[in-house]
Amino acid sequence: MSDCIFCKIIAGDIPGKKVYEDDEILAFHDVNPQAPVHFLVIPKKHIRNIMELEAADTALLGRLLFKAQELAVEQGCGEKGARFVINCKDNGGQTVDHLHVHVLGGRFMEWPPG
Ligand code: 5GP
Ligand code: ZN
């Protein structure tokens, strides 16, 4: 989508600090990190949010989550763990309308969120 900031990162039109890329998935560091480890894992397909997932997307989402796990381990979060977050729409605190999984690690995180 032409006005989507994450689609622009995928296209290379705006810079992103890449963690991983393949044909269908991109991972890059969050520009405003909330933890020592904070990166985003996104499908290259423009899916606006988790409410707009379709049955045909389930395999892609499985691969996306598995990749998030692998990258979290690579980034040193395997032993102590991490938080995997998907914000959705206004009440979920979503600010970028392209589905993304936040991976946050390197420190303890409180629950519940504010
Ligand atoms: P959301 O609030 O939608 O769950 O998360 C969007 C995230 O994208 C935020 O953590 C924000 O810091 C990050 N973000 C927004 N614009 C950019 C950008 O241009 N580059 C990168 N790397 N991250 C961004
Ligand atoms: Zn997009």
Side-chain angles (χ1 to χ4, degrees):
M1 248 187 81
S2 57
D3 62 344
C4 169
I5 196 161
F6 286 177
C7 282
K8 286 180 181 160
I9 291 176
I10 291 165
D13 293 341
I14 62 170
K17 244 176 98 187
K18 196 190 301 179
V19 175
Y20 173 83
E21 181 168 22
D22 65 26
D23 287 351
E24 58 183 2
I25 293 170
L26 179 68
F28 53 96
H29 292 284
D30 197 293
V31 76
N32 183 22
Q34 302 300 313
V37 175
H38 186 182
F39 61 92
L40 306 172
V41 189
I42 70 173
K44 289 188 171 177
K45 178 180 177 184
H46 181 83
I47 301 168
R48 286 171 61 86
N49 57 56
I50 200 163
M51 296 297 183
E52 297 201 2
L53 269 186
E54 295 171 358
D57 298 320
T58 55
L60 169 62
L61 257 292
R63 290 191 289 274
L64 191 91
L65 282 180
F66 188 58
K67 185 52 69 180
Q69 178 244 76
E70 287 183 331
L71 296 174
V73 171
E74 270 182 38
Q75 300 274 324
C77 301
E79 193 181 330
K80 289 212 155 186
R83 184 161 292 171
F84 299 76
V85 174
I86 301 177
N87 296 325
C88 181
K89 295 189 170 182
D90 290 347
N91 278 356
Q94 185 175 13
T95 58
V96 177
D97 288 337
H98 182 127
L99 179 64
H100 49 280
V101 178
H102 292 260
V103 181
L104 298 126
R107 68 169 173 85
F108 179 78
M109 262 155 288
E110 305 285 342
W111 188 265

